Amino acid sequence: NAGVTQTPKFRVLKTGQSMTLLCAQDMNHEYMYWYRQDPGMGLRLIHYSVGEGTTAKGEVPDGYNVSRLKKQNFLLGLESAAPSQTSVYFCATGVNTEAFFGQGTRLTVV
Amino acid sequence: AQSVTQLDSHVSVSEGTPVLLRCNYSSSYSPSLFWYVQHPNKGLQLLLKYTSAATLVKGINGFEAEFKKSETSFHLTKPSAHMSDAAEYFCVVSDVSPTAGGSYIPTFGRGTSLIVHP
């Protein structure tokens, strides 16, 4: 029982490159979230999903896209990476009010 | 809209002395509240949660927190700090969000860095 798994764990991108972060859950939760963590800012919500086929914008959605084609997967895409997107990204699933987090992806854009 | 304010960005204590990390929240409904801990270069670990049961909540590693609705606070305490408690602590509020179509959206505070001196 893996819980919430994020792939990859580390990545370095050049400015302008694209990539997709994968979040996979085996908890059968409807809610899934993508956050970014920056020093002194806590975790800020990028996008979220309340079920398969649905997505919605969070607090800081610009420069990111998401898809939830299957209930167990939530993908976060960066179409043209910028240095301001250097961050640690956390995926989470939710049931009722509680969230369960993956281990994070450290992304550096140079 | 819900929000969380962690009143101290850094708290410094000596090993063996009490710990107090302060958190105030704002919520329009009946919130659930959580404390998470993050050790350097690690993920988030749930310390404890309040979900409308007992207002004094006990968590792991000797931590506890008290929900005070009248003060809109959820402060985290520990009687005696240990060196291994040095980490970043996040207070989180989660409630039904009208702006998100009634979805639950966990909202984080900015974090408090706990420093423990020998």
PDB file of all heavy atoms in Angstrom, chain A residues 16-43:
ATOM      1  N   GLY A  16      12.161  27.225 -20.486  1.00  0.00           N
ATOM      2  CA  GLY A  16      11.470  26.979 -21.741  1.00  0.00           C
ATOM      3  C   GLY A  16      11.130  25.515 -21.988  1.00  0.00           C
ATOM      4  O   GLY A  16      10.275  25.214 -22.833  1.00  0.00           O
ATOM      5  N   GLN A  17      11.752  24.606 -21.260  1.00  0.00           N
ATOM      6  CA  GLN A  17      11.437  23.188 -21.435  1.00  0.00           C
ATOM      7  C   GLN A  17      10.095  22.863 -20.787  1.00  0.00           C
ATOM      8  O   GLN A  17       9.602  23.607 -19.934  1.00  0.00           O
ATOM      9  CB  GLN A  17      12.541  22.310 -20.825  1.00  0.00           C
ATOM     10  CG  GLN A  17      13.804  22.256 -21.637  1.00  0.00           C
ATOM     11  CD  GLN A  17      14.824  21.281 -21.054  1.00  0.00           C
ATOM     12  OE1 GLN A  17      14.995  21.173 -19.838  1.00  0.00           O
ATOM     13  NE2 GLN A  17      15.499  20.562 -21.935  1.00  0.00           N
ATOM     14  N   SER A  18       9.543  21.745 -21.186  1.00  0.00           N
ATOM     15  CA  SER A  18       8.284  21.295 -20.603  1.00  0.00           C
ATOM     16  C   SER A  18       8.492  19.996 -19.848  1.00  0.00           C
ATOM     17  O   SER A  18       9.462  19.276 -20.085  1.00  0.00           O
ATOM     18  CB  SER A  18       7.232  21.100 -21.696  1.00  0.00           C
ATOM     19  OG  SER A  18       7.642  20.061 -22.565  1.00  0.00           O
ATOM     20  N   MET A  19       7.599  19.739 -18.917  1.00  0.00           N
ATOM     21  CA  MET A  19       7.640  18.461 -18.214  1.00  0.00           C
ATOM     22  C   MET A  19       6.299  18.202 -17.545  1.00  0.00           C
ATOM     23  O   MET A  19       5.472  19.118 -17.392  1.00  0.00           O
ATOM     24  CB  MET A  19       8.744  18.428 -17.169  1.00  0.00           C
ATOM     25  CG  MET A  19       8.461  19.162 -15.886  1.00  0.00           C
ATOM     26  SD  MET A  19       9.588  18.663 -14.553  1.00  0.00           S
ATOM     27  CE  MET A  19       9.113  16.949 -14.300  1.00  0.00           C
ATOM     28  N   THR A  20       6.112  16.946 -17.161  1.00  0.00           N
ATOM     29  CA  THR A  20       4.906  16.534 -16.449  1.00  0.00           C
ATOM     30  C   THR A  20       5.294  15.817 -15.176  1.00  0.00           C
ATOM     31  O   THR A  20       6.144  14.926 -15.199  1.00  0.00           O
ATOM     32  CB  THR A  20       4.053  15.601 -17.326  1.00  0.00           C
ATOM     33  OG1 THR A  20       3.674  16.295 -18.513  1.00  0.00           O
ATOM     34  CG2 THR A  20       2.796  15.175 -16.571  1.00  0.00           C
ATOM     35  N   LEU A  21       4.658  16.228 -14.086  1.00  0.00           N
ATOM     36  CA  LEU A  21       4.811  15.542 -12.810  1.00  0.00           C
ATOM     37  C   LEU A  21       3.604  14.627 -12.617  1.00  0.00           C
ATOM     38  O   LEU A  21       2.463  15.041 -12.836  1.00  0.00           O
ATOM     39  CB  LEU A  21       4.879  16.531 -11.647  1.00  0.00           C
ATOM     40  CG  LEU A  21       6.192  17.276 -11.396  1.00  0.00           C
ATOM     41  CD1 LEU A  21       6.495  18.232 -12.524  1.00  0.00           C
ATOM     42  CD2 LEU A  21       6.117  18.029 -10.071  1.00  0.00           C
ATOM     43  N   LEU A  22       3.890  13.415 -12.188  1.00  0.00           N
ATOM     44  CA  LEU A  22       2.825  12.436 -12.012  1.00  0.00           C
ATOM     45  C   LEU A  22       2.578  12.196 -10.531  1.00  0.00           C
ATOM     46  O   LEU A  22       3.517  12.034  -9.752  1.00  0.00           O
ATOM     47  CB  LEU A  22       3.193  11.115 -12.672  1.00  0.00           C
ATOM     48  CG  LEU A  22       2.276   9.921 -12.372  1.00  0.00           C
ATOM     49  CD1 LEU A  22       0.880  10.183 -12.909  1.00  0.00           C
ATOM     50  CD2 LEU A  22       2.860   8.633 -12.937  1.00  0.00           C
ATOM     51  N   CYS A  23       1.315  12.180 -10.171  1.00  0.00           N
ATOM     52  CA  CYS A  23       0.902  11.805  -8.819  1.00  0.00           C
ATOM     53  C   CYS A  23      -0.035  10.609  -8.947  1.00  0.00           C
ATOM     54  O   CYS A  23      -1.037  10.680  -9.670  1.00  0.00           O
ATOM     55  CB  CYS A  23       0.193  12.964  -8.138  1.00  0.00           C
ATOM     56  SG  CYS A  23      -0.421  12.560  -6.482  1.00  0.00           S
ATOM     57  N   ALA A  24       0.286   9.542  -8.248  1.00  0.00           N
ATOM     58  CA  ALA A  24      -0.537   8.337  -8.284  1.00  0.00           C
ATOM     59  C   ALA A  24      -0.932   7.962  -6.858  1.00  0.00           C
ATOM     60  O   ALA A  24      -0.110   7.988  -5.955  1.00  0.00           O
ATOM     61  CB  ALA A  24       0.228   7.189  -8.927  1.00  0.00           C
ATOM     62  N   GLN A  25      -2.216   7.610  -6.687  1.00  0.00           N
ATOM     63  CA  GLN A  25      -2.700   7.228  -5.361  1.00  0.00           C
ATOM     64  C   GLN A  25      -3.416   5.885  -5.426  1.00  0.00           C
ATOM     65  O   GLN A  25      -4.063   5.562  -6.424  1.00  0.00           O
ATOM     66  CB  GLN A  25      -3.659   8.293  -4.818  1.00  0.00           C
ATOM     67  CG  GLN A  25      -4.862   8.558  -5.725  1.00  0.00           C
ATOM     68  CD  GLN A  25      -6.188   8.540  -5.011  1.00  0.00           C
ATOM     69  OE1 GLN A  25      -6.320   7.958  -3.933  1.00  0.00           O
ATOM     70  NE2 GLN A  25      -7.187   9.162  -5.600  1.00  0.00           N
ATOM     71  N   ASP A  26      -3.296   5.126  -4.360  1.00  0.00           N
ATOM     72  CA  ASP A  26      -4.020   3.861  -4.264  1.00  0.00           C
ATOM     73  C   ASP A  26      -4.997   3.881  -3.094  1.00  0.00           C
ATOM     74  O   ASP A  26      -5.365   2.825  -2.569  1.00  0.00           O
ATOM     75  CB  ASP A  26      -3.035   2.699  -4.138  1.00  0.00           C
ATOM     76  CG  ASP A  26      -2.170   2.776  -2.886  1.00  0.00           C
ATOM     77  OD1 ASP A  26      -2.383   3.696  -2.060  1.00  0.00           O
ATOM     78  OD2 ASP A  26      -1.269   1.933  -2.750  1.00  0.00           O
ATOM     79  N   MET A  27      -5.429   5.077  -2.697  1.00  0.00           N
ATOM     80  CA  MET A  27      -6.303   5.246  -1.540  1.00  0.00           C
ATOM     81  C   MET A  27      -7.766   5.411  -1.945  1.00  0.00           C
ATOM     82  O   MET A  27      -8.638   5.544  -1.093  1.00  0.00           O
ATOM     83  CB  MET A  27      -5.839   6.446  -0.713  1.00  0.00           C
ATOM     84  CG  MET A  27      -4.365   6.362  -0.326  1.00  0.00           C
ATOM     85  SD  MET A  27      -3.742   7.790   0.540  1.00  0.00           S
ATOM     86  CE  MET A  27      -4.283   7.413   2.195  1.00  0.00           C
ATOM     87  N   ASN A  28      -8.027   5.462  -3.243  1.00  0.00           N
ATOM     88  CA  ASN A  28      -9.384   5.591  -3.763  1.00  0.00           C
ATOM     89  C   ASN A  28     -10.077   6.884  -3.310  1.00  0.00           C
ATOM     90  O   ASN A  28     -11.299   6.922  -3.134  1.00  0.00           O
ATOM     91  CB  ASN A  28     -10.256   4.385  -3.382  1.00  0.00           C
ATOM     92  CG  ASN A  28     -11.449   4.222  -4.300  1.00  0.00           C
ATOM     93  OD1 ASN A  28     -11.375   4.512  -5.494  1.00  0.00           O
ATOM     94  ND2 ASN A  28     -12.565   3.778  -3.754  1.00  0.00           N
ATOM     95  N   HIS A  29      -9.283   7.948  -3.129  1.00  0.00           N
ATOM     96  CA  HIS A  29      -9.852   9.220  -2.714  1.00  0.00           C
ATOM     97  C   HIS A  29     -10.325  10.015  -3.917  1.00  0.00           C
ATOM     98  O   HIS A  29      -9.703   9.987  -4.978  1.00  0.00           O
ATOM     99  CB  HIS A  29      -8.820  10.038  -1.941  1.00  0.00           C
ATOM    100  CG  HIS A  29      -8.487   9.461  -0.600  1.00  0.00           C
ATOM    101  ND1 HIS A  29      -7.368   9.855   0.111  1.00  0.00           N
ATOM    102  CD2 HIS A  29      -9.123   8.540   0.165  1.00  0.00           C
ATOM    103  CE1 HIS A  29      -7.340   9.190   1.271  1.00  0.00           C
ATOM    104  NE2 HIS A  29      -8.393   8.387   1.303  1.00  0.00           N
ATOM    105  N   GLU A  30     -11.410  10.775  -3.722  1.00  0.00           N
ATOM    106  CA  GLU A  30     -11.917  11.596  -4.810  1.00  0.00           C
ATOM    107  C   GLU A  30     -11.070  12.864  -4.997  1.00  0.00           C
ATOM    108  O   GLU A  30     -10.810  13.283  -6.105  1.00  0.00           O
ATOM    109  CB  GLU A  30     -13.359  12.003  -4.541  1.00  0.00           C
ATOM    110  CG  GLU A  30     -14.356  10.846  -4.554  1.00  0.00           C
ATOM    111  CD  GLU A  30     -14.538  10.243  -5.936  1.00  0.00           C
ATOM    112  OE1 GLU A  30     -14.237  10.933  -6.941  1.00  0.00           O
ATOM    113  OE2 GLU A  30     -14.954   9.066  -6.029  1.00  0.00           O
ATOM    114  N   TYR A  31     -10.682  13.495  -3.891  1.00  0.00           N
ATOM    115  CA  TYR A  31      -9.985  14.768  -3.972  1.00  0.00           C
ATOM    116  C   TYR A  31      -8.485  14.541  -4.207  1.00  0.00           C
ATOM    117  O   TYR A  31      -7.872  13.691  -3.571  1.00  0.00           O
ATOM    118  CB  TYR A  31     -10.133  15.547  -2.661  1.00  0.00           C
ATOM    119  CG  TYR A  31     -11.483  16.160  -2.410  1.00  0.00           C
ATOM    120  CD1 TYR A  31     -12.644  15.417  -2.480  1.00  0.00           C
ATOM    121  CD2 TYR A  31     -11.592  17.502  -2.078  1.00  0.00           C
ATOM    122  CE1 TYR A  31     -13.879  15.974  -2.234  1.00  0.00           C
ATOM    123  CE2 TYR A  31     -12.813  18.086  -1.828  1.00  0.00           C
ATOM    124  CZ  TYR A  31     -13.966  17.305  -1.902  1.00  0.00           C
ATOM    125  OH  TYR A  31     -15.184  17.875  -1.656  1.00  0.00           O
ATOM    126  N   MET A  32      -7.923  15.349  -5.099  1.00  0.00           N
ATOM    127  CA  MET A  32      -6.474  15.393  -5.271  1.00  0.00           C
ATOM    128  C   MET A  32      -6.052  16.843  -5.445  1.00  0.00           C
ATOM    129  O   MET A  32      -6.795  17.665  -5.981  1.00  0.00           O
ATOM    130  CB  MET A  32      -6.021  14.542  -6.468  1.00  0.00           C
ATOM    131  CG  MET A  32      -6.314  13.058  -6.281  1.00  0.00           C
ATOM    132  SD  MET A  32      -5.553  11.992  -7.513  1.00  0.00           S
ATOM    133  CE  MET A  32      -3.827  11.976  -6.974  1.00  0.00           C
ATOM    134  N   TYR A  33      -4.839  17.138  -4.967  1.00  0.00           N
ATOM    135  CA  TYR A  33      -4.348  18.517  -4.939  1.00  0.00           C
ATOM    136  C   TYR A  33      -2.883  18.558  -5.378  1.00  0.00           C
ATOM    137  O   TYR A  33      -2.130  17.630  -5.131  1.00  0.00           O
ATOM    138  CB  TYR A  33      -4.399  19.083  -3.516  1.00  0.00           C
ATOM    139  CG  TYR A  33      -5.677  18.877  -2.750  1.00  0.00           C
ATOM    140  CD1 TYR A  33      -5.859  17.749  -1.958  1.00  0.00           C
ATOM    141  CD2 TYR A  33      -6.690  19.831  -2.791  1.00  0.00           C
ATOM    142  CE1 TYR A  33      -7.031  17.567  -1.236  1.00  0.00           C
ATOM    143  CE2 TYR A  33      -7.860  19.656  -2.064  1.00  0.00           C
ATOM    144  CZ  TYR A  33      -8.021  18.525  -1.289  1.00  0.00           C
ATOM    145  OH  TYR A  33      -9.180  18.350  -0.572  1.00  0.00           O
ATOM    146  N   TRP A  34      -2.496  19.679  -5.987  1.00  0.00           N
ATOM    147  CA  TRP A  34      -1.092  19.982  -6.230  1.00  0.00           C
ATOM    148  C   TRP A  34      -0.757  21.289  -5.509  1.00  0.00           C
ATOM    149  O   TRP A  34      -1.438  22.303  -5.686  1.00  0.00           O
ATOM    150  CB  TRP A  34      -0.788  20.153  -7.713  1.00  0.00           C
ATOM    151  CG  TRP A  34      -0.499  18.875  -8.433  1.00  0.00           C
ATOM    152  CD1 TRP A  34      -1.286  18.230  -9.332  1.00  0.00           C
ATOM    153  CD2 TRP A  34       0.697  18.092  -8.326  1.00  0.00           C
ATOM    154  NE1 TRP A  34      -0.670  17.088  -9.779  1.00  0.00           N
ATOM    155  CE2 TRP A  34       0.551  16.984  -9.174  1.00  0.00           C
ATOM    156  CE3 TRP A  34       1.877  18.219  -7.584  1.00  0.00           C
ATOM    157  CZ2 TRP A  34       1.525  15.997  -9.317  1.00  0.00           C
ATOM    158  CZ3 TRP A  34       2.863  17.250  -7.715  1.00  0.00           C
ATOM    159  CH2 TRP A  34       2.684  16.152  -8.575  1.00  0.00           C
ATOM    160  N   TYR A  35       0.306  21.238  -4.704  1.00  0.00           N
ATOM    161  CA  TYR A  35       0.812  22.411  -3.991  1.00  0.00           C
ATOM    162  C   TYR A  35       2.269  22.661  -4.402  1.00  0.00           C
ATOM    163  O   TYR A  35       2.980  21.748  -4.801  1.00  0.00           O
ATOM    164  CB  TYR A  35       0.813  22.184  -2.479  1.00  0.00           C
ATOM    165  CG  TYR A  35      -0.525  22.096  -1.810  1.00  0.00           C
ATOM    166  CD1 TYR A  35      -1.216  20.890  -1.752  1.00  0.00           C
ATOM    167  CD2 TYR A  35      -1.102  23.210  -1.212  1.00  0.00           C
ATOM    168  CE1 TYR A  35      -2.451  20.799  -1.113  1.00  0.00           C
ATOM    169  CE2 TYR A  35      -2.330  23.133  -0.564  1.00  0.00           C
ATOM    170  CZ  TYR A  35      -2.991  21.926  -0.517  1.00  0.00           C
ATOM    171  OH  TYR A  35      -4.202  21.846   0.125  1.00  0.00           O
ATOM    172  N   ARG A  36       2.688  23.902  -4.223  1.00  0.00           N
ATOM    173  CA  ARG A  36       4.104  24.207  -4.302  1.00  0.00           C
ATOM    174  C   ARG A  36       4.555  24.817  -2.979  1.00  0.00           C
ATOM    175  O   ARG A  36       3.785  25.527  -2.319  1.00  0.00           O
ATOM    176  CB  ARG A  36       4.436  25.140  -5.466  1.00  0.00           C
ATOM    177  CG  ARG A  36       3.787  26.491  -5.466  1.00  0.00           C
ATOM    178  CD  ARG A  36       4.284  27.357  -6.614  1.00  0.00           C
ATOM    179  NE  ARG A  36       5.656  27.800  -6.424  1.00  0.00           N
ATOM    180  CZ  ARG A  36       6.381  28.438  -7.355  1.00  0.00           C
ATOM    181  NH1 ARG A  36       5.856  28.688  -8.551  1.00  0.00           N
ATOM    182  NH2 ARG A  36       7.622  28.809  -7.101  1.00  0.00           N
ATOM    183  N   GLN A  37       5.785  24.481  -2.589  1.00  0.00           N
ATOM    184  CA  GLN A  37       6.334  24.975  -1.334  1.00  0.00           C
ATOM    185  C   GLN A  37       7.548  25.838  -1.607  1.00  0.00           C
ATOM    186  O   GLN A  37       8.517  25.389  -2.235  1.00  0.00           O
ATOM    187  CB  GLN A  37       6.728  23.827  -0.404  1.00  0.00           C
ATOM    188  CG  GLN A  37       7.278  24.321   0.929  1.00  0.00           C
ATOM    189  CD  GLN A  37       7.702  23.207   1.856  1.00  0.00           C
ATOM    190  OE1 GLN A  37       7.952  22.081   1.432  1.00  0.00           O
ATOM    191  NE2 GLN A  37       7.762  23.501   3.153  1.00  0.00           N
ATOM    192  N   ASP A  38       7.491  27.058  -1.133  1.00  0.00           N
ATOM    193  CA  ASP A  38       8.602  27.995  -1.255  1.00  0.00           C
ATOM    194  C   ASP A  38       8.951  28.524   0.130  1.00  0.00           C
ATOM    195  O   ASP A  38       8.068  28.675   0.979  1.00  0.00           O
ATOM    196  CB  ASP A  38       8.218  29.140  -2.191  1.00  0.00           C
ATOM    197  CG  ASP A  38       7.822  28.638  -3.564  1.00  0.00           C
ATOM    198  OD1 ASP A  38       8.706  28.112  -4.259  1.00  0.00           O
ATOM    199  OD2 ASP A  38       6.630  28.746  -3.928  1.00  0.00           O
ATOM    200  N   PRO A  39      10.228  28.837   0.376  1.00  0.00           N
ATOM    201  CA  PRO A  39      10.654  29.282   1.715  1.00  0.00           C
ATOM    202  C   PRO A  39       9.820  30.467   2.206  1.00  0.00           C
ATOM    203  O   PRO A  39       9.649  31.459   1.497  1.00  0.00           O
ATOM    204  CB  PRO A  39      12.109  29.683   1.478  1.00  0.00           C
ATOM    205  CG  PRO A  39      12.550  28.846   0.327  1.00  0.00           C
ATOM    206  CD  PRO A  39      11.346  28.741  -0.564  1.00  0.00           C
ATOM    207  N   GLY A  40       9.310  30.333   3.435  1.00  0.00           N
ATOM    208  CA  GLY A  40       8.556  31.419   4.055  1.00  0.00           C
ATOM    209  C   GLY A  40       7.140  31.592   3.544  1.00  0.00           C
ATOM    210  O   GLY A  40       6.432  32.500   3.993  1.00  0.00           O
ATOM    211  N   MET A  41       6.723  30.724   2.622  1.00  0.00           N
ATOM    212  CA  MET A  41       5.381  30.873   2.031  1.00  0.00           C
ATOM    213  C   MET A  41       4.451  29.725   2.381  1.00  0.00           C
ATOM    214  O   MET A  41       3.276  29.738   1.992  1.00  0.00           O
ATOM    215  CB  MET A  41       5.497  30.981   0.504  1.00  0.00           C
ATOM    216  CG  MET A  41       6.323  32.154   0.022  1.00  0.00           C
ATOM    217  SD  MET A  41       5.614  33.730   0.525  1.00  0.00           S
ATOM    218  CE  MET A  41       4.137  33.755  -0.475  1.00  0.00           C
ATOM    219  N   GLY A  42       4.923  28.733   3.079  1.00  0.00           N
ATOM    220  CA  GLY A  42       4.101  27.560   3.332  1.00  0.00           C
ATOM    221  C   GLY A  42       3.842  26.800   2.042  1.00  0.00           C
ATOM    222  O   GLY A  42       4.626  26.877   1.091  1.00  0.00           O
ATOM    223  N   LEU A  43       2.754  26.068   1.990  1.00  0.00           N
ATOM    224  CA  LEU A  43       2.342  25.379   0.770  1.00  0.00           C
ATOM    225  C   LEU A  43       1.175  26.140   0.166  1.00  0.00           C
ATOM    226  O   LEU A  43       0.199  26.444   0.856  1.00  0.00           O
ATOM    227  CB  LEU A  43       1.914  23.932   1.069  1.00  0.00           C
ATOM    228  CG  LEU A  43       3.028  22.891   1.122  1.00  0.00           C
ATOM    229  CD1 LEU A  43       3.892  23.069   2.354  1.00  0.00           C
ATOM    230  CD2 LEU A  43       2.440  21.483   1.063  1.00  0.00           C
TER     231      LEU A  43
END
